[in-house]
Amino acid sequence: MLYPLIDTNYKPDAVILANGDYPTHPIPAGVLQRAPYICCCDGAAMQLAAHGLQPDAIVGDGDSLSNEQKQRFQHILHLESEQDDNDLTKATRHCKALGFNTIAYLGATGKREDHTLGNISLMARYMDEMGINATLFTDYGWFTSAKGEAQYESFEGQQVSIFNLTCTKIEAEGLKWQPYAYQQWWQGTLNEAMGCSFSLHTDGLFMVFRTYNRK
């Protein structure tokens, strides 16, 4: 599967906005501005409204919304009280039910490190279990998940990190350092693309982070 570079024309089926750090980099901020459908996780709706945008749906357990806010958004509020999944997954199920398969995740990092780690790890679950083309954006780059063989568009000097989840084999073409089946997440960080593309050959599930800018 080919994973293209993200540019200012990228437009997913839907955006899910979590209540972490609001995007400020032009690429994720532009993705949010162009989104055909915005689904907010609970309190993220307040951040969105503060920046002049309105959500199409608010999904979650409602614990980050006041009674006044619940009343204000009652026509688009979808409350789910179960606690087996977090609000990001509840929002994902909502978007999946509407037929959205290419989903961008914004505001999913920052503020609390435990939420950040949990949200990043969910990208692999959404791809592997739900068939979603999931991309998680930060103000520095973006995460995508893959399984088996994958090819990535890149540029010389782009910083690349590989996070192994279930692979016993990882090989690459087009990276500065040859990867392997890392046992620890830190081991796959800080690699670098040598040109306009690189390929990964694996036997399992993994995540890749690519930066917007070269080193």
Side-chain angles (χ1 to χ4, degrees), residues 85-142:
D85 287 312
N86 66 0
D87 286 347
L88 200 73
T89 301
K90 293 171 185 177
T92 300
R93 288 201 303 257
H94 170 82
C95 289
K96 179 72 174 179
L98 294 176
F100 301 138
N101 288 311
T102 299
I103 301 175
Y105 295 82
L106 306 177
T109 61
K111 293 186 178 177
R112 278 185 54 174
E113 289 80 3
D114 53 346
H115 287 177
T116 292
L117 286 172
N119 289 339
I120 291 171
S121 71
L122 282 168
M123 297 303 104
R125 178 189 175 191
Y126 298 158
M127 183 210 73
D128 196 38
E129 297 181 10
M130 302 172 70
I132 291 171
N133 180 10
T135 304
L136 188 153
F137 291 88
T138 76
D139 275 341
Y140 305 96
W142 69 102

Side-chain angles (χ1 to χ4, degrees), residues 15-174:
V15 163
I16 293 178
L17 180 67
N19 201 21
D21 288 344
Y22 196 86
T24 59
H25 188 280
I27 288 181
V31 170
L32 188 57
Q33 287 285 341
R34 293 188 302 274
Y37 188 90
I38 302 175
C39 178
C40 289
C41 299
D42 266 12
M46 300 303 103
Q47 288 202 73
L48 188 71
H51 286 82
L53 298 174
Q54 293 299 315
D56 295 288
I58 304 171
V59 178
D61 56 17
D63 64 350
S64 299
L65 296 172
S66 67
N67 289 332
E68 185 276 330
Q69 290 164 347
K70 290 177 182 177
Q71 182 67 27
R72 173 185 170 188
F73 292 113
Q74 61 178 327
H75 61 295
I76 57 170
L77 183 59
H78 304 266
L79 294 178
E80 293 191 32
S81 59
E82 62 91 358
Q83 296 299 314
D84 290 335
D85 287 312
N86 66 0
D87 286 347
L88 200 73
T89 301
K90 293 171 185 177
T92 300
R93 288 201 303 257
H94 170 82
C95 289
K96 179 72 174 179
L98 294 176
F100 301 138
N101 288 311
T102 299
I103 301 175
Y105 295 82
L106 306 177
T109 61
K111 293 186 178 177
R112 278 185 54 174
E113 289 80 3
D114 53 346
H115 287 177
T116 292
L117 286 172
N119 289 339
I120 291 171
S121 71
L122 282 168
M123 297 303 104
R125 178 189 175 191
Y126 298 158
M127 183 210 73
D128 196 38
E129 297 181 10
M130 302 172 70
I132 291 171
N133 180 10
T135 304
L136 188 153
F137 291 88
T138 76
D139 275 341
Y140 305 96
W142 69 102
F143 289 90
T144 52
S145 299
K147 194 172 186 178
E149 303 284 319
Q151 184 175 4
Y152 298 83
E153 292 182 351
S154 60
F155 49 83
E156 184 179 359
Q158 183 180 35
Q159 300 298 283
V160 176
S161 292
I162 304 165
F163 299 94
N164 182 23
L165 299 176
T166 66
C167 302
T168 62
K169 180 193 81 170
I170 301 178
E171 298 174 350
E173 299 164 358

